[in-house]
Amino acid sequence: MIAPADPRVLEAWPAELASLPFGSPEFKAANARLAAEDEAACAPSVRAMPTWINLTSTTACNLKCFMCNQFLDPDSPKVMLDEDVYQRVVRELYPYARTMQLSAFGEPLMTPKMDQKLADLERHGMKLEMVSNGTLMMKESRFREQLLRTLELVTFSMDGATRATYNSVRTGAEFDEVFANISRFAERRLEMAAAQRPKMNFNYILMRRTVAEAPKFVEMVHRWGGDQIVFNHLVTFHPSLLGESLNYCRAYANEWQDRTREVAKALGVKISIPPNFTDADSPPATAVERPAAATPAPAPKAPARPCGPPPIKCWFLWQRVYIAPFGDVVPCCLAGMPAFGNMQKTSFYDVWNGETYRNYRQHVFTERPLGKCRSCYLIYPNAELAGADGFEY
């Protein structure tokens, strides 16, 4: 029988949680219901703990993709999750959560002590999600069968449907090898019982060199039996990326996005793809082309986004959390999002309903969202819609 790491949570539990065995499947289900209710109500303070946890288990990656901050920032640290932080997460959060995702900032299959982490998930009745570049998937290892047994969702990141394009983006990877790895995984998952079969999704970044291969990529995923493809625009957070942005070739982008939709519809492949640019004939001037003295016209004021329900719902502030290698508690994966607290300095319980979290929850669905929420990709799925507010992913 496990007990809460912080006894104070006993005093804050609603009766629905207090009446159930701590950490049991029924307890986790009740926690998830409360989290959903608090999210729907836009409650500043919440009764539930996160149902989904991302652990930055490693920031190391075996690739050097030209559009990744790991490559563009030579000082980007290559670190592993602190063991004390990991153990605190297991004690304080695992009894509540249903799902753990490994590493949003590195290749998860480079995580140390993977067998221990998978065993902890099984012990707490949790499932695993991960986003992988596919280079190490299905390699022989002592934990491979344990991984397949624990895995709930794997999302493969691929950009391009031909060897030449893919290899030009994913430096250090080989298209033919990754294609074979994913094909073997696709076959293996179909051998599993339907109830235990992990989902297989794909991420694809839309840019000048990849957008015309998006329809062919849909055909590839259809042959693999994938569940969904999420297409997102390249985010030009560094000057070297401007030349690849579809914001400067909007008609071309619209043409290939439409073709991608047509292929997906014909094959029955589920996709999420940004809306077309509406002003396709007048792309903005680049920083190089724009006269230095020019004063941009003020952007039209966006309509207020009333609280509950907004057009696009944020599921992070109430149900998800990211834990950085040395204990920083970060609400989501937006680049530049500050830490709201640190688990090595205080308990997660104090951070989760602390002043910063309460303020962000209170403002996120108003016309005055705080910090990086003002330029979130959930609200602005392409650069045109972001306008003067910026564009983040």
Side-chain angles (χ1 to χ4, degrees):
M1 179 68 179
I2 58 175
D6 187 339
R8 291 176 302 161
V9 303
L10 294 169
E11 302 172 6
W13 276 352
E16 187 174 2
L17 290 183
S19 65
L20 297 168
F22 182 60
S24 66
E26 297 79 12
F27 181 91
K28 290 174 182 276
N31 183 69
R33 286 195 297 273
L34 291 172
E37 290 173 7
D38 290 339
E39 177 189 294
C42 299
S45 295
V46 294
R47 300 164 293 170
M49 295 283 262
T51 63
W52 184 99
I53 306 160
N54 174 279
L55 288 181
T56 304
S57 53
T58 178
T59 62
C61 186
N62 55 343
L63 303 186
K64 295 182 178 180
C65 306
F66 75 88
M67 71 294 187
C68 177
N69 190 59
Q70 293 275 45
F71 170 72
L72 289 168
D73 180 5
D75 298 321
S76 180
K78 306 297 186 291
V79 296
M80 305 298 174
L81 180 67
D82 181 84
E83 182 64 21
D84 178 62
V85 170
Y86 172 70
Q87 293 299 336
R88 286 172 182 261
V89 170
V90 171
R91 291 194 304 272
E92 295 186 34
L93 297 180
Y94 273 27
Y96 298 87
R98 289 174 158 178
T99 305
M100 188 269 277
Q101 185 186 67
L102 277 175
S103 193
F105 303 102
E107 170 50 45
L109 289 176
M110 298 179 70
T111 297
K113 300 181 180 179
M114 181 71 103
D115 49 350
Q116 171 201 332
K117 291 176 173 59
L118 295 174
D120 287 338
L121 290 177
E122 290 188 292
R123 180 164 56 90
H124 284 275
M126 294 173 64
K127 299 296 270 183
L128 174 69
E129 289 184 7
M130 65 179 188
V131 181
S132 172
N133 59 38
T135 58
L136 304 177
M137 196 68 183
M138 303 308 291
K139 299 290 186 182
E140 290 296 334
S141 69
R142 66 182 181 278
F143 60 78
R144 191 173 77 172
E145 291 306 310
Q146 190 182 15
L147 172 70
L148 293 173
R149 187 171 63 246
T150 312
L151 194 62
E152 181 176 56
L153 166 65
V154 60
T155 301
F156 292 112
S157 295
M158 292 189 73
D159 312 302
T162 65
R163 183 175 182 270
T165 298
Y166 174 86
N167 287 7
S168 75
V169 175
R170 298 272 165 178
T171 304
E174 168 51 53
F175 177 82
D176 294 337
E177 181 179 353
V178 171
F179 186 95
N181 287 345
I182 296 175
S183 296
R184 286 197 296 273
F185 175 75
E187 293 170 1
R188 178 68 180 85
R189 71 189 280 265
L190 290 178
E191 296 170 359
M192 302 170 70
Q196 283 76 47
R197 189 176 300 157
K199 292 183 178 180
M200 180 172 61
N201 290 355
F202 293 84
N203 286 339
Y204 189 104
I205 299 178
L206 297 168
M207 48 185 143
R208 282 181 189 263
R209 74 179 74 181
T210 65
V211 67
E213 295 184 11
K216 184 176 181 179
F217 187 74
V218 173
E219 294 172 352
M220 285 171 47
V221 171
H222 174 67
R223 291 194 294 272
W224 280 326
D227 292 291
Q228 183 179 18
I229 310 169
V230 176
F231 293 98
N232 279 313
H233 280 293
L234 174 72
V235 179
T236 54
F237 62 90
H238 189 274
S240 66
L241 303 177
L242 281 174
E244 287 287 345
S245 174
L246 295 176
N247 196 31
Y248 304 105
C249 51
R250 296 178 174 185
Y252 180 70
N254 287 354
E255 175 188 355
W256 286 105
Q257 287 187 188
D258 284 339
R259 293 192 191 187
T260 303
R261 293 185 185 96
E262 291 169 3
V263 172
K265 183 177 180 180
L267 296 177
V269 176
K270 183 179 180 181
I271 67 170
S272 172
I273 192 166
N276 283 3
F277 293 100
T278 56
D279 190 8
D281 297 324
S282 302
T286 65
V288 175
E289 296 168 340
R290 189 179 296 118
T295 301
K301 182 176 175 60
R305 285 175 279 129
C307 181
I312 301 175
K313 194 79 169 178
C314 168
W315 54 84
F316 289 95
L317 290 170
W318 287 268
Q319 301 209 40
R320 298 190 172 204
V321 68
Y322 285 71
I323 309 296
F326 299 107
D328 279 347
V329 177
V330 184
C332 69
C333 56
L334 279 176
M337 181 65 83
F340 286 10
N342 186 285
M343 290 188 69
Q344 295 200 84
K345 297 177 180 178
T346 187
S347 74
F348 182 85
Y349 174 77
D350 288 326
V351 177
W352 187 234
N353 272 320
E355 182 179 3
T356 304
Y357 256 113
R358 294 198 309 272
N359 285 340
Y360 268 73
R361 292 182 186 123
Q362 194 168 9
H363 288 88
V364 66
F365 296 136
T366 71
E367 59 183 323
R368 296 182 303 278
L370 302 181
K372 289 292 180 177
C373 294
R374 291 193 299 268
S375 53
C376 176
Y377 75 100
L378 291 175
I379 299 168
Y380 302 120
N382 70 36
E384 177 188 46
L385 296 178
D389 282 319
F391 180 52
E392 296 288 353
Y393 68 96

